Amino acid sequence: RRAILVTLARLHEEAGEAQAAEGCWSAAAQIAPDVDSWEALARGARRAERRVAAADALSKAIGEAADPAEKERLTLEAANDLAEGGELEQAEAMLSGIAASAPEPTAALLSLERVYRAIAARTAPPEAVVQGKLADVLRRLASLTRDPARRTGLSVEAARTLSSGIGRDTEAA
């Protein structure tokens, strides 16, 4: 039965019938959950601009994934969906975990930078805690880059963030 549902889901996707595809993927995931079915549900939720639902599906995919690299990729995607859906604090928590433990944390740090800028934009003036977290992320990004000009730019931006506000956002204003 699950194989039939997966085939139907793919046919509905090809036909552009998102709602029907989502129903089939959901039923398939309930029968025998796997990464592919949860990722398909996340894709459908993203197409429908339901980012928090996409993150929820990806969180379930994380539970099914065996490979640590795949878990990291799925966590990063889920966190980005949460951020796009306005759930910035949840996104921050997920991204902080990846940034702390990943062998190559650059993608998580770049996403964290966007999250901290979005959190800071919600409050005027930005909270000192958020500014400090953003500065820490910028310093970590500077330490990871091999480009001396980029390293210097990120270091200056981190210092500016602590002294006068949220770096690039302040310059643009």
Side-chain angles (χ1 to χ4, degrees):
R1 180 172 180 226
R2 185 182 187 286
I4 293 170
L5 286 168
V6 169
T7 302
L8 279 173
R10 289 186 177 132
L11 290 171
H12 285 301
E13 283 179 339
E14 288 174 15
E17 299 166 349
Q19 210 168 25
E22 185 174 348
C24 291
W25 281 119
S26 181
Q30 299 306 316
I31 293 170
D34 67 351
V35 173
D36 290 337
S37 58
W38 291 121
E39 280 190 292
L41 281 169
R43 281 192 308 273
R46 270 191 215 112
R47 279 192 294 272
E49 299 295 320
R50 297 187 347 259
R51 294 299 191 137
V52 175
D56 182 53
L58 289 170
S59 294
K60 291 174 182 168
I62 294 165
E64 298 298 327
D67 178 40
E70 185 174 29
K71 284 181 184 270
E72 181 182 316
R73 177 186 63 79
L74 293 166
T75 303
L76 186 61
E77 283 184 43
N80 285 329
D81 281 329
L82 285 170
E84 290 290 322
E87 299 294 332
L88 299 173
E89 287 75 15
Q90 288 179 340
E92 176 191 9
M94 292 178 90
L95 291 166
S96 294
I98 296 172
S101 64
E104 173 44 58
T106 303
L109 291 169
L110 290 169
S111 292
L112 262 176
E113 178 188 4
R114 284 190 305 274
V115 166
Y116 289 140
R117 289 184 189 283
I119 291 171
R122 289 193 309 201
T123 58
E127 296 177 21
V129 172
V130 174
Q131 288 178 306
K133 288 178 178 181
L134 176 58
D136 288 343
V137 166
L138 292 170
R139 282 193 291 263
R140 283 193 64 199
L141 284 168
S143 73
L144 292 170
T145 188
R146 293 180 184 176
D147 179 0
R150 175 105 169 104
R151 183 178 305 120
T152 300
L154 287 166
S155 297
V156 168
E157 188 174 351
R160 188 179 302 136
T161 296
L162 289 174
S163 66
S164 67
I166 301 296
R168 286 182 239 159
D169 292 344
T170 302
E171 291 172 8

